[in-house]
């Protein structure tokens, strides 16, 4: 069974921006990116990097978790999801337990692919809990920030690497994270992950206390 398809991230971002009454240019200015990039993200022509995604959700006051939630997204404002997404929405409506748990099968994980070479797969969700529970893959050359800038966001971050190798920049320090290593820190500390190796780096991550 293939992984579940997540409704377009851009549609959810645009919905949240309109609900907040923020113009596209104002959002771009607060995030520190160009208005054209925000427009491309909203229309599905470009996927944000991890750092840009966290910046956008922080400015809009929504959680990253909400971007995985099929019920929170809709094909609105001229953004028409492909048939695969409509099929996924119908499956979610027929079987909401698959999205929430307590058991999420290996072929049922919802997935977000980011343009900086990072893939997030949601491993589970407890309604009302402010926790992102993710299987994260950094492809070779992948980074949490396409521009190389350090990122900051609310919450506390916990990670356990199962394969591959990651370089974690945390403040002024740099660490090599290998299989079996674990990390934990306040996400408000400037940080970045990157995979300088030739094989994917895969691990399980928790980010708690995200923005609401």
């Amino acid at each position: 069974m293939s992984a579940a398809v997540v409704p377009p991230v851009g549609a959810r971002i645009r919905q949240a921006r309109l609900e907040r009454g923020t113009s596209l240019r104002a959002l771009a200015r607060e995030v520190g990116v160009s208005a054209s990039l925000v427009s491309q993200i909203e229309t599905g022509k470009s996927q944000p990097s991890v750092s840009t995604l966290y910046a956008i959700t922080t400015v809009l006051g929504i959680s990253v978790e909400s971007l995985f939630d099929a019920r929170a997204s809709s094909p609105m404002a001229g953004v028409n999801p492909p048939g695969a997404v409509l099929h996924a929405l119908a499956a979610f409506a027929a079987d909401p337990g698959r999205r929430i748990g307590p058991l999420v099968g290996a072929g049922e994980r919802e997935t977000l692919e980011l343009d900086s070479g990072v893939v997030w797969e949601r491993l589970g969700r407890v309604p009302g809990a402010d926790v992102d529970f993710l299987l994260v893959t950094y492809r070779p050359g992948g980074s949490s920030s396409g521009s190389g800038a350090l990122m900051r966001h609310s919450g506390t971050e916990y990670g356990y690497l199962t394969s591959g190798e990651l370089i974690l920049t945390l403040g002024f320090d740099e660490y090599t994270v290998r299989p079996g290593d674990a990390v934990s820190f306040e996400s408000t500390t400037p940080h970045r992950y990157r995979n300088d190796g030739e094989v994917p780096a895969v691990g399980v991550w928790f980010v708690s206390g995200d923005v609401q």
Side-chain angles (χ1 to χ4, degrees), residues 147-176:
S147 67
L150 302 185
M151 58 188 287
R152 299 177 62 185
H153 54 89
S154 61
T156 305
E157 194 154 327
Y158 304 88
Y160 175 79
L161 198 67
T162 59
S163 63
E165 189 171 287
L166 281 176
I167 303 299
L168 167 63
T169 302
L170 186 62
F172 295 105
D173 299 317
E174 191 168 275
Y175 304 90
T176 300

PDB file of all heavy atoms in Angstrom, residues 147-176:
ATOM      1  N   SER A 147      18.790  27.552   2.112  1.00  0.00           N
ATOM      2  CA  SER A 147      19.696  28.699   2.002  1.00  0.00           C
ATOM      3  C   SER A 147      20.921  28.556   2.892  1.00  0.00           C
ATOM      4  O   SER A 147      21.865  29.339   2.788  1.00  0.00           O
ATOM      5  CB  SER A 147      18.955  29.985   2.382  1.00  0.00           C
ATOM      6  OG  SER A 147      18.616  29.972   3.767  1.00  0.00           O
ATOM      7  N   GLY A 148      20.902  27.574   3.786  1.00  0.00           N
ATOM      8  CA  GLY A 148      22.005  27.395   4.725  1.00  0.00           C
ATOM      9  C   GLY A 148      21.838  28.167   6.013  1.00  0.00           C
ATOM     10  O   GLY A 148      22.661  28.067   6.919  1.00  0.00           O
ATOM     11  N   ALA A 149      20.755  28.945   6.115  1.00  0.00           N
ATOM     12  CA  ALA A 149      20.514  29.732   7.325  1.00  0.00           C
ATOM     13  C   ALA A 149      20.038  28.835   8.462  1.00  0.00           C
ATOM     14  O   ALA A 149      19.422  27.784   8.241  1.00  0.00           O
ATOM     15  CB  ALA A 149      19.471  30.811   7.042  1.00  0.00           C
ATOM     16  N   LEU A 150      20.321  29.239   9.687  1.00  0.00           N
ATOM     17  CA  LEU A 150      19.825  28.513  10.854  1.00  0.00           C
ATOM     18  C   LEU A 150      18.365  28.854  11.071  1.00  0.00           C
ATOM     19  O   LEU A 150      17.912  29.955  10.756  1.00  0.00           O
ATOM     20  CB  LEU A 150      20.653  28.863  12.090  1.00  0.00           C
ATOM     21  CG  LEU A 150      22.161  28.596  12.013  1.00  0.00           C
ATOM     22  CD1 LEU A 150      22.807  28.888  13.354  1.00  0.00           C
ATOM     23  CD2 LEU A 150      22.459  27.178  11.568  1.00  0.00           C
ATOM     24  N   MET A 151      17.621  27.900  11.616  1.00  0.00           N
ATOM     25  CA  MET A 151      16.200  28.112  11.848  1.00  0.00           C
ATOM     26  C   MET A 151      15.895  28.139  13.333  1.00  0.00           C
ATOM     27  O   MET A 151      16.637  27.586  14.152  1.00  0.00           O
ATOM     28  CB  MET A 151      15.390  27.007  11.162  1.00  0.00           C
ATOM     29  CG  MET A 151      15.758  25.591  11.618  1.00  0.00           C
ATOM     30  SD  MET A 151      14.976  24.288  10.654  1.00  0.00           S
ATOM     31  CE  MET A 151      13.296  24.402  11.247  1.00  0.00           C
ATOM     32  N   ARG A 152      14.781  28.812  13.675  1.00  0.00           N
ATOM     33  CA  ARG A 152      14.292  28.865  15.045  1.00  0.00           C
ATOM     34  C   ARG A 152      12.784  28.740  14.993  1.00  0.00           C
ATOM     35  O   ARG A 152      12.135  29.264  14.090  1.00  0.00           O
ATOM     36  CB  ARG A 152      14.656  30.187  15.728  1.00  0.00           C
ATOM     37  CG  ARG A 152      16.149  30.458  15.849  1.00  0.00           C
ATOM     38  CD  ARG A 152      16.410  31.822  16.461  1.00  0.00           C
ATOM     39  NE  ARG A 152      15.883  31.915  17.821  1.00  0.00           N
ATOM     40  CZ  ARG A 152      15.895  33.024  18.552  1.00  0.00           C
ATOM     41  NH1 ARG A 152      16.411  34.144  18.057  1.00  0.00           N
ATOM     42  NH2 ARG A 152      15.421  33.023  19.781  1.00  0.00           N
ATOM     43  N   HIS A 153      12.203  28.040  15.960  1.00  0.00           N
ATOM     44  CA  HIS A 153      10.754  27.950  16.058  1.00  0.00           C
ATOM     45  C   HIS A 153      10.409  27.551  17.484  1.00  0.00           C
ATOM     46  O   HIS A 153      11.285  27.184  18.274  1.00  0.00           O
ATOM     47  CB  HIS A 153      10.189  26.948  15.043  1.00  0.00           C
ATOM     48  CG  HIS A 153      10.812  25.587  15.114  1.00  0.00           C
ATOM     49  ND1 HIS A 153      10.336  24.586  15.944  1.00  0.00           N
ATOM     50  CD2 HIS A 153      11.891  25.063  14.481  1.00  0.00           C
ATOM     51  CE1 HIS A 153      11.075  23.508  15.799  1.00  0.00           C
ATOM     52  NE2 HIS A 153      12.041  23.766  14.918  1.00  0.00           N
ATOM     53  N   SER A 154       9.137  27.643  17.829  1.00  0.00           N
ATOM     54  CA  SER A 154       8.735  27.310  19.186  1.00  0.00           C
ATOM     55  C   SER A 154       8.798  25.806  19.403  1.00  0.00           C
ATOM     56  O   SER A 154       8.800  25.017  18.455  1.00  0.00           O
ATOM     57  CB  SER A 154       7.306  27.813  19.443  1.00  0.00           C
ATOM     58  OG  SER A 154       6.398  27.189  18.557  1.00  0.00           O
ATOM     59  N   GLY A 155       8.873  25.394  20.658  1.00  0.00           N
ATOM     60  CA  GLY A 155       8.813  23.982  20.976  1.00  0.00           C
ATOM     61  C   GLY A 155      10.122  23.402  21.479  1.00  0.00           C
ATOM     62  O   GLY A 155      11.144  24.086  21.582  1.00  0.00           O
ATOM     63  N   THR A 156      10.062  22.131  21.807  1.00  0.00           N
ATOM     64  CA  THR A 156      11.230  21.370  22.237  1.00  0.00           C
ATOM     65  C   THR A 156      11.405  20.208  21.273  1.00  0.00           C
ATOM     66  O   THR A 156      10.436  19.544  20.907  1.00  0.00           O
ATOM     67  CB  THR A 156      11.029  20.834  23.664  1.00  0.00           C
ATOM     68  OG1 THR A 156      10.730  21.914  24.543  1.00  0.00           O
ATOM     69  CG2 THR A 156      12.286  20.131  24.155  1.00  0.00           C
ATOM     70  N   GLU A 157      12.624  19.957  20.862  1.00  0.00           N
ATOM     71  CA  GLU A 157      12.897  18.988  19.802  1.00  0.00           C
ATOM     72  C   GLU A 157      13.667  17.784  20.346  1.00  0.00           C
ATOM     73  O   GLU A 157      14.637  17.938  21.078  1.00  0.00           O
ATOM     74  CB  GLU A 157      13.708  19.680  18.707  1.00  0.00           C
ATOM     75  CG  GLU A 157      13.791  18.931  17.403  1.00  0.00           C
ATOM     76  CD  GLU A 157      14.024  19.881  16.247  1.00  0.00           C
ATOM     77  OE1 GLU A 157      13.535  21.033  16.285  1.00  0.00           O
ATOM     78  OE2 GLU A 157      14.712  19.466  15.304  1.00  0.00           O
ATOM     79  N   TYR A 158      13.188  16.595  19.956  1.00  0.00           N
ATOM     80  CA  TYR A 158      13.847  15.353  20.319  1.00  0.00           C
ATOM     81  C   TYR A 158      14.023  14.523  19.048  1.00  0.00           C
ATOM     82  O   TYR A 158      13.082  14.391  18.258  1.00  0.00           O
ATOM     83  CB  TYR A 158      13.006  14.543  21.310  1.00  0.00           C
ATOM     84  CG  TYR A 158      12.645  15.290  22.574  1.00  0.00           C
ATOM     85  CD1 TYR A 158      11.488  16.079  22.619  1.00  0.00           C
ATOM     86  CD2 TYR A 158      13.435  15.194  23.714  1.00  0.00           C
ATOM     87  CE1 TYR A 158      11.140  16.764  23.778  1.00  0.00           C
ATOM     88  CE2 TYR A 158      13.085  15.870  24.871  1.00  0.00           C
ATOM     89  CZ  TYR A 158      11.941  16.658  24.893  1.00  0.00           C
ATOM     90  OH  TYR A 158      11.606  17.332  26.035  1.00  0.00           O
ATOM     91  N   GLY A 159      15.207  13.960  18.836  1.00  0.00           N
ATOM     92  CA  GLY A 159      15.430  13.161  17.648  1.00  0.00           C
ATOM     93  C   GLY A 159      16.311  11.966  17.937  1.00  0.00           C
ATOM     94  O   GLY A 159      17.206  12.021  18.790  1.00  0.00           O
ATOM     95  N   TYR A 160      16.059  10.862  17.204  1.00  0.00           N
ATOM     96  CA  TYR A 160      16.857   9.643  17.331  1.00  0.00           C
ATOM     97  C   TYR A 160      17.162   9.162  15.920  1.00  0.00           C
ATOM     98  O   TYR A 160      16.239   8.888  15.136  1.00  0.00           O
ATOM     99  CB  TYR A 160      16.089   8.572  18.105  1.00  0.00           C
ATOM    100  CG  TYR A 160      16.805   7.235  18.169  1.00  0.00           C
ATOM    101  CD1 TYR A 160      17.839   7.027  19.075  1.00  0.00           C
ATOM    102  CD2 TYR A 160      16.438   6.193  17.315  1.00  0.00           C
ATOM    103  CE1 TYR A 160      18.496   5.805  19.134  1.00  0.00           C
ATOM    104  CE2 TYR A 160      17.092   4.975  17.378  1.00  0.00           C
ATOM    105  CZ  TYR A 160      18.118   4.780  18.282  1.00  0.00           C
ATOM    106  OH  TYR A 160      18.767   3.575  18.338  1.00  0.00           O
ATOM    107  N   LEU A 161      18.452   9.080  15.579  1.00  0.00           N
ATOM    108  CA  LEU A 161      18.848   8.700  14.236  1.00  0.00           C
ATOM    109  C   LEU A 161      19.008   7.177  14.143  1.00  0.00           C
ATOM    110  O   LEU A 161      19.702   6.563  14.950  1.00  0.00           O
ATOM    111  CB  LEU A 161      20.161   9.383  13.845  1.00  0.00           C
ATOM    112  CG  LEU A 161      20.471   9.425  12.344  1.00  0.00           C
ATOM    113  CD1 LEU A 161      19.466  10.311  11.618  1.00  0.00           C
ATOM    114  CD2 LEU A 161      21.889   9.934  12.097  1.00  0.00           C
ATOM    115  N   THR A 162      18.355   6.591  13.143  1.00  0.00           N
ATOM    116  CA  THR A 162      18.411   5.132  12.980  1.00  0.00           C
ATOM    117  C   THR A 162      19.392   4.700  11.891  1.00  0.00           C
ATOM    118  O   THR A 162      19.922   3.588  11.938  1.00  0.00           O
ATOM    119  CB  THR A 162      17.020   4.572  12.644  1.00  0.00           C
ATOM    120  OG1 THR A 162      16.536   5.184  11.433  1.00  0.00           O
ATOM    121  CG2 THR A 162      16.037   4.856  13.776  1.00  0.00           C
ATOM    122  N   SER A 163      19.636   5.562  10.900  1.00  0.00           N
ATOM    123  CA  SER A 163      20.573   5.201   9.835  1.00  0.00           C
ATOM    124  C   SER A 163      21.111   6.466   9.179  1.00  0.00           C
ATOM    125  O   SER A 163      20.507   7.537   9.265  1.00  0.00           O
ATOM    126  CB  SER A 163      19.897   4.311   8.787  1.00  0.00           C
ATOM    127  OG  SER A 163      18.845   4.992   8.138  1.00  0.00           O
ATOM    128  N   GLY A 164      22.262   6.325   8.512  1.00  0.00           N
ATOM    129  CA  GLY A 164      22.878   7.478   7.876  1.00  0.00           C
ATOM    130  C   GLY A 164      23.608   8.347   8.879  1.00  0.00           C
ATOM    131  O   GLY A 164      23.907   7.922  10.006  1.00  0.00           O
ATOM    132  N   GLU A 165      23.859   9.574   8.486  1.00  0.00           N
ATOM    133  CA  GLU A 165      24.602  10.504   9.345  1.00  0.00           C
ATOM    134  C   GLU A 165      24.136  11.926   9.075  1.00  0.00           C
ATOM    135  O   GLU A 165      23.903  12.314   7.929  1.00  0.00           O
ATOM    136  CB  GLU A 165      26.101  10.384   9.059  1.00  0.00           C
ATOM    137  CG  GLU A 165      26.994  11.141  10.023  1.00  0.00           C
ATOM    138  CD  GLU A 165      28.470  10.788   9.808  1.00  0.00           C
ATOM    139  OE1 GLU A 165      28.873   9.665  10.176  1.00  0.00           O
ATOM    140  OE2 GLU A 165      29.194  11.627   9.245  1.00  0.00           O
ATOM    141  N   LEU A 166      23.989  12.705  10.134  1.00  0.00           N
ATOM    142  CA  LEU A 166      23.563  14.104  10.031  1.00  0.00           C
ATOM    143  C   LEU A 166      24.577  15.009  10.722  1.00  0.00           C
ATOM    144  O   LEU A 166      25.187  14.628  11.719  1.00  0.00           O
ATOM    145  CB  LEU A 166      22.193  14.319  10.679  1.00  0.00           C
ATOM    146  CG  LEU A 166      20.943  13.906   9.910  1.00  0.00           C
ATOM    147  CD1 LEU A 166      19.702  14.127  10.781  1.00  0.00           C
ATOM    148  CD2 LEU A 166      20.803  14.686   8.608  1.00  0.00           C
ATOM    149  N   ILE A 167      24.705  16.202  10.192  1.00  0.00           N
ATOM    150  CA  ILE A 167      25.459  17.249  10.866  1.00  0.00           C
ATOM    151  C   ILE A 167      24.445  18.212  11.470  1.00  0.00           C
ATOM    152  O   ILE A 167      23.622  18.781  10.759  1.00  0.00           O
ATOM    153  CB  ILE A 167      26.380  18.012   9.889  1.00  0.00           C
ATOM    154  CG1 ILE A 167      27.347  17.049   9.188  1.00  0.00           C
ATOM    155  CG2 ILE A 167      27.149  19.093  10.646  1.00  0.00           C
ATOM    156  CD1 ILE A 167      28.267  16.304  10.118  1.00  0.00           C
ATOM    157  N   LEU A 168      24.481  18.360  12.774  1.00  0.00           N
ATOM    158  CA  LEU A 168      23.599  19.292  13.475  1.00  0.00           C
ATOM    159  C   LEU A 168      24.394  20.523  13.884  1.00  0.00           C
ATOM    160  O   LEU A 168      25.373  20.425  14.628  1.00  0.00           O
ATOM    161  CB  LEU A 168      23.000  18.621  14.725  1.00  0.00           C
ATOM    162  CG  LEU A 168      22.302  19.554  15.725  1.00  0.00           C
ATOM    163  CD1 LEU A 168      21.087  20.238  15.096  1.00  0.00           C
ATOM    164  CD2 LEU A 168      21.900  18.785  16.992  1.00  0.00           C
ATOM    165  N   THR A 169      23.964  21.664  13.384  1.00  0.00           N
ATOM    166  CA  THR A 169      24.496  22.937  13.853  1.00  0.00           C
ATOM    167  C   THR A 169      23.523  23.482  14.879  1.00  0.00           C
ATOM    168  O   THR A 169      22.336  23.652  14.587  1.00  0.00           O
ATOM    169  CB  THR A 169      24.657  23.946  12.702  1.00  0.00           C
ATOM    170  OG1 THR A 169      25.526  23.396  11.708  1.00  0.00           O
ATOM    171  CG2 THR A 169      25.238  25.255  13.204  1.00  0.00           C
ATOM    172  N   LEU A 170      24.000  23.709  16.089  1.00  0.00           N
ATOM    173  CA  LEU A 170      23.153  24.170  17.184  1.00  0.00           C
ATOM    174  C   LEU A 170      23.840  25.359  17.836  1.00  0.00           C
ATOM    175  O   LEU A 170      24.847  25.208  18.538  1.00  0.00           O
ATOM    176  CB  LEU A 170      22.944  23.042  18.191  1.00  0.00           C
ATOM    177  CG  LEU A 170      21.965  23.288  19.341  1.00  0.00           C
ATOM    178  CD1 LEU A 170      20.554  23.540  18.817  1.00  0.00           C
ATOM    179  CD2 LEU A 170      21.967  22.102  20.309  1.00  0.00           C
ATOM    180  N   GLY A 171      23.319  26.552  17.564  1.00  0.00           N
ATOM    181  CA  GLY A 171      23.984  27.755  18.040  1.00  0.00           C
ATOM    182  C   GLY A 171      25.348  27.883  17.386  1.00  0.00           C
ATOM    183  O   GLY A 171      25.470  27.850  16.162  1.00  0.00           O
ATOM    184  N   PHE A 172      26.396  27.974  18.202  1.00  0.00           N
ATOM    185  CA  PHE A 172      27.760  28.090  17.671  1.00  0.00           C
ATOM    186  C   PHE A 172      28.474  26.741  17.603  1.00  0.00           C
ATOM    187  O   PHE A 172      29.648  26.684  17.233  1.00  0.00           O
ATOM    188  CB  PHE A 172      28.576  29.056  18.549  1.00  0.00           C
ATOM    189  CG  PHE A 172      28.060  30.467  18.521  1.00  0.00           C
ATOM    190  CD1 PHE A 172      27.359  30.984  19.599  1.00  0.00           C
ATOM    191  CD2 PHE A 172      28.268  31.265  17.411  1.00  0.00           C
ATOM    192  CE1 PHE A 172      26.881  32.288  19.577  1.00  0.00           C
ATOM    193  CE2 PHE A 172      27.802  32.572  17.379  1.00  0.00           C
ATOM    194  CZ  PHE A 172      27.103  33.082  18.464  1.00  0.00           C
ATOM    195  N   ASP A 173      27.766  25.673  17.951  1.00  0.00           N
ATOM    196  CA  ASP A 173      28.390  24.349  17.989  1.00  0.00           C
ATOM    197  C   ASP A 173      27.905  23.480  16.825  1.00  0.00           C
ATOM    198  O   ASP A 173      26.822  23.689  16.277  1.00  0.00           O
ATOM    199  CB  ASP A 173      28.069  23.644  19.312  1.00  0.00           C
ATOM    200  CG  ASP A 173      28.595  24.411  20.519  1.00  0.00           C
ATOM    201  OD1 ASP A 173      29.743  24.888  20.443  1.00  0.00           O
ATOM    202  OD2 ASP A 173      27.855  24.548  21.507  1.00  0.00           O
ATOM    203  N   GLU A 174      28.722  22.493  16.475  1.00  0.00           N
ATOM    204  CA  GLU A 174      28.377  21.561  15.407  1.00  0.00           C
ATOM    205  C   GLU A 174      28.605  20.145  15.903  1.00  0.00           C
ATOM    206  O   GLU A 174      29.633  19.847  16.529  1.00  0.00           O
ATOM    207  CB  GLU A 174      29.216  21.841  14.162  1.00  0.00           C
ATOM    208  CG  GLU A 174      28.737  21.087  12.917  1.00  0.00           C
ATOM    209  CD  GLU A 174      29.390  21.608  11.648  1.00  0.00           C
ATOM    210  OE1 GLU A 174      28.882  22.591  11.066  1.00  0.00           O
ATOM    211  OE2 GLU A 174      30.424  21.030  11.260  1.00  0.00           O
ATOM    212  N   TYR A 175      27.640  19.264  15.627  1.00  0.00           N
ATOM    213  CA  TYR A 175      27.701  17.887  16.098  1.00  0.00           C
ATOM    214  C   TYR A 175      27.485  16.929  14.928  1.00  0.00           C
ATOM    215  O   TYR A 175      26.685  17.204  14.030  1.00  0.00           O
ATOM    216  CB  TYR A 175      26.612  17.622  17.151  1.00  0.00           C
ATOM    217  CG  TYR A 175      26.641  18.549  18.339  1.00  0.00           C
ATOM    218  CD1 TYR A 175      25.914  19.743  18.333  1.00  0.00           C
ATOM    219  CD2 TYR A 175      27.385  18.240  19.473  1.00  0.00           C
ATOM    220  CE1 TYR A 175      25.930  20.604  19.423  1.00  0.00           C
ATOM    221  CE2 TYR A 175      27.400  19.091  20.572  1.00  0.00           C
ATOM    222  CZ  TYR A 175      26.672  20.275  20.535  1.00  0.00           C
ATOM    223  OH  TYR A 175      26.697  21.122  21.619  1.00  0.00           O
ATOM    224  N   THR A 176      28.160  15.792  14.960  1.00  0.00           N
ATOM    225  CA  THR A 176      27.919  14.714  14.009  1.00  0.00           C
ATOM    226  C   THR A 176      27.008  13.695  14.677  1.00  0.00           C
ATOM    227  O   THR A 176      27.345  13.145  15.725  1.00  0.00           O
ATOM    228  CB  THR A 176      29.227  14.041  13.574  1.00  0.00           C
ATOM    229  OG1 THR A 176      30.070  15.014  12.940  1.00  0.00           O
ATOM    230  CG2 THR A 176      28.948  12.920  12.589  1.00  0.00           C
TER     231      THR A 176
END
